[in-house]
Amino acid sequence: MLNVFVGLYLLVSIGIGLYAARRVQSSQDYVVAGRSLPLYITTATVFATWFGSETVLGTSSTFLQEGLHGIVADPFGASLCLILVGVFFARKLYRMNLLTIGDFFRIKYGRAVELAISLAIMLSYLGWVSAQMCALGLVFNVLSEGAISTDVGIVIGAIIVILYTIYGGMWSVALTDFFQMIIIVLGMLYVGYIVTGQLEGGVTQVLDHAANSGKFNFWPEPTLAGILAFLGAFLTLALGSIPQQDVFQRVMSAKNEQTAVRGAVLGGTLYFIFAFIPIFLAYSAFLIDEKMVTGLLTTDSQLVLPTLIMQHTPVFAQVMFFGALLSAIMSTASGTLLAPSTIFTENVLKPFLGQVPDRRFLHIIRSVVLIFGVFVTLFALNSESSIFEMVENAYKVTLVAAFVPLAAGVYWSKANSQGAVVSMALGAGVWIFLEATAPEGLWPPQLAGLVAAIVGMIAGALLPSFIAPKEQKSHKQQ
């Protein structure tokens, strides 16, 4: 029964995605849905930016082991990122009528910076998209009770997501996100109701147990090392995920700048609220089946929540949960698959193609989606990192290489190409050096890289400029 309903859900999702493809007539339709999405769909698709495998499986399992302190990056940093995008970046970037976030770096700093940062952004997606594929494999393995291996499940999930993303682009992402958000909200609320009903003290019992176990300790140890580690984890998602194509793509698909701002803020707020439902459900397992939780914490903590649902809830609750889980994963996977594909085609490949008719360019983007989808699937099949680790590590790249040039380019009039180049070089250089030599040192490598990037931008912009003429020429061409 459960597998039948899940199969029907997958067919409906594919159908919606393929139906959305009928709206795609140009590359702008494909990349930013023709900049025509209303507030409710913009909010849904921004919400779906983060509500994926890392929220349902990764964050909840990390909370079981480390408490609130362990999940400072997600949902705290992740939700703040979306709100910051809405408040500080959405309006200014929307007015520029950009197709990708890479276009901003070309207009502000020139082709060389555009190329370097676009490649860095693409690299950051490798772990994130692979995490979604791994989660799909995990879900299919659980649903089939081991009949489908995780690797085979990864391949099945990848085929489904690649199929409807290729044809519909951002329109498929937007419409499936809206449908999937409804399933996520209803499914999580219903399962929460069922699980709470199995506890004598209800929600209060879970909260008291977690508090007594020290799981609500949020702030770091009052030591320099503890504070720096806390800031490093928090800022990785809070700032490092701002210069990302999928966040930009969703916000820029809004029908006007006011919708872009409101959609980002509302999406981030809803994400923060609903991210705690899977955390609550996973911790409830301690009170329902402590033996099961203890065993899985030593093998694979990501299985705690799906195992709880499979063993301790009725079939309809299982249908709602796995429908919500698949919705969360697929909505994130489709958006994160489309984002690096479009930024590669627009900002890396297109300048080498010369004048290309828009219809042909659209075919090229779809081909890149397919190629990137195959590549991340292979990466997922060979990865040994947890879902939470893959997602958190993805944003270190953009934190040290892209955030400072973006923020300075938007808000500092003195920011120039030389500043951007020095910022990227110092930020990425310090980060890579510390990751290789002292990954567990006093300074988290990505935090040290961020500081170096800020210093590089200020120094590079204020020192005598050797590449100012190149920057001015690039800007005038726009």
Side-chain angles (χ1 to χ4, degrees):
M1 176 70 73
L2 174 59
N3 289 330
V4 171
F5 278 106
V6 170
L8 289 174
Y9 167 77
L10 292 174
L11 289 176
V12 170
S13 294
I14 294 172
I16 293 174
L18 295 179
Y19 169 79
R22 299 170 58 186
R23 296 173 176 261
V24 178
Q25 303 298 325
S26 67
S27 58
Q28 188 181 58
D29 291 336
Y30 192 82
V31 177
V32 290
R35 292 166 67 93
S36 60
L37 299 183
L39 179 60
Y40 64 95
I41 294 184
T42 302
T43 301
T45 196
V46 169
F47 168 85
T49 304
W50 297 125
F51 208 101
S53 61
E54 68 280 4
T55 307
V56 181
L57 301 177
T59 302
S60 62
S61 62
T62 302
F63 176 82
L64 291 177
Q65 298 171 305
E66 304 178 31
L68 284 181
H69 179 76
I71 60 172
V72 60
D74 187 10
F76 292 95
S79 55
L80 179 62
C81 158
L82 298 176
I83 295 171
L84 290 176
V85 168
V87 174
F88 294 105
F89 294 94
R91 193 180 303 276
K92 292 179 179 292
L93 294 178
Y94 193 93
R95 291 175 180 174
M96 297 179 70
N97 195 28
L98 308 172
L99 197 61
T100 69
I101 188 69
D103 291 345
F104 171 83
F105 295 106
R106 183 186 68 251
I107 293 172
K108 181 64 181 178
Y109 302 118
R111 169 63 180 160
V113 174
E114 172 199 18
L115 180 61
I117 292 185
S118 296
L119 289 173
I121 292 173
M122 280 183 54
L123 179 63
S124 72
Y125 277 98
L126 185 60
W128 195 11
V129 187
S130 297
Q132 310 312 312
M133 301 306 182
C134 288
L136 287 171
L138 180 67
V139 171
F140 286 127
N141 177 259
V142 171
L143 287 174
S144 66
E145 297 181 347
I148 298 176
S149 69
T150 301
D151 286 352
V152 173
I154 288 173
V155 174
I156 294 173
I159 291 173
I160 294 171
V161 172
I162 291 171
L163 179 64
Y164 72 73
T165 306
I166 280 178
Y167 285 100
M170 191 58 201
W171 268 115
S172 286
V173 171
L175 294 189
T176 54
D177 278 356
F178 179 65
F179 166 70
Q180 289 161 347
M181 180 181 170
I182 295 174
I183 301 297
I184 290 169
V185 171
L186 294 179
M188 287 295 168
L189 289 176
Y190 178 74
V191 173
Y193 170 76
I194 293 296
V195 170
T196 303
Q198 298 185 33
L199 303 169
E200 293 182 4
V203 175
T204 302
Q205 184 182 2
V206 176
L207 297 179
D208 289 344
H209 190 283
N212 293 332
S213 300
K215 298 300 182 183
F216 290 157
N217 294 332
F218 177 73
W219 298 108
E221 297 179 4
T223 63
L224 181 59
I227 294 172
L228 291 176
F230 181 87
L231 285 175
F234 177 71
L235 294 179
T236 295
L237 260 73
L239 301 183
S241 49
I242 289 177
Q244 285 285 3
Q245 173 63 15
D246 64 304
V247 176
F248 171 88
Q249 206 158 1
R250 284 169 154 94
V251 174
M252 294 305 110
S253 297
K255 65 180 182 179
N256 54 49
E257 63 182 63
Q258 187 178 51
T259 301
V261 173
R262 292 178 177 177
V265 174
L266 287 174
T269 303
L270 286 175
Y271 173 75
F272 183 76
I273 294 171
F274 279 91
F276 283 96
I277 296 181
I279 292 173
F280 168 81
L281 293 174
Y283 198 83
S284 298
F286 262 122
L287 305 178
I288 296 174
D289 192 343
E290 185 175 353
K291 184 178 179 181
M292 178 269 289
V293 175
T294 303
L296 288 176
L297 285 179
T298 61
T299 54
D300 189 352
S301 59
Q302 296 172 146
L303 290 173
V304 169
L305 185 49
T307 303
L308 170 70
I309 301 302
M310 290 292 289
Q311 295 182 0
H312 295 280
T313 63
V315 173
F316 184 69
Q318 294 173 18
V319 171
M320 293 298 289
F321 172 78
F322 283 103
L325 177 56
L326 284 171
S327 294
I329 298 170
M330 291 172 64
S331 61
T332 301
S334 58
T336 52
L337 177 61
L338 179 65
S341 303
T342 53
I343 202 168
F344 173 79
T345 310
E346 172 71 15
N347 301 108
V348 178
L349 186 60
K350 186 177 180 179
F352 296 103
L353 298 176
Q355 295 295 324
V356 178
D358 191 67
R359 294 297 296 178
R360 184 185 172 196
F361 185 64
L362 184 56
H363 292 315
I364 294 173
I365 298 178
R366 285 173 166 152
S367 299
V368 173
V369 171
L370 174 60
I371 294 170
F372 191 79
V374 172
F375 185 74
V376 296
T377 302
L378 294 174
F379 184 84
L381 290 170
N382 292 281
S383 176
E384 296 182 359
S385 299
S386 72
I387 292 170
F388 191 84
E389 289 171 340
M390 280 193 281
V391 171
E392 186 175 7
N393 290 335
Y395 297 107
K396 293 179 181 179
V397 180
T398 45
L399 177 67
V400 301
F403 172 72
V404 173
L406 174 65
V410 171
Y411 282 102
W412 192 34
S413 61
K414 295 183 181 297
N416 57 27
S417 297
Q418 180 169 283
V421 170
V422 177
S423 175
M424 288 187 296
L426 277 181
V430 169
W431 170 61
I432 293 172
F433 175 77
L434 291 180
E435 285 284 3
T437 60
E440 303 298 329
L442 175 64
W443 279 81
Q446 74 273 24
L447 183 59
L450 174 62
V451 173
I454 295 172
V455 173
M457 171 58 74
I458 296 173
L462 296 182
L463 288 174
S465 180
F466 299 99
I467 57 176
K470 187 175 183 180
E471 176 210 352
Q472 292 166 5
K473 180 180 178 181
S474 175
H475 187 73
K476 289 178 180 178
Q477 286 176 341
Q478 300 302 322

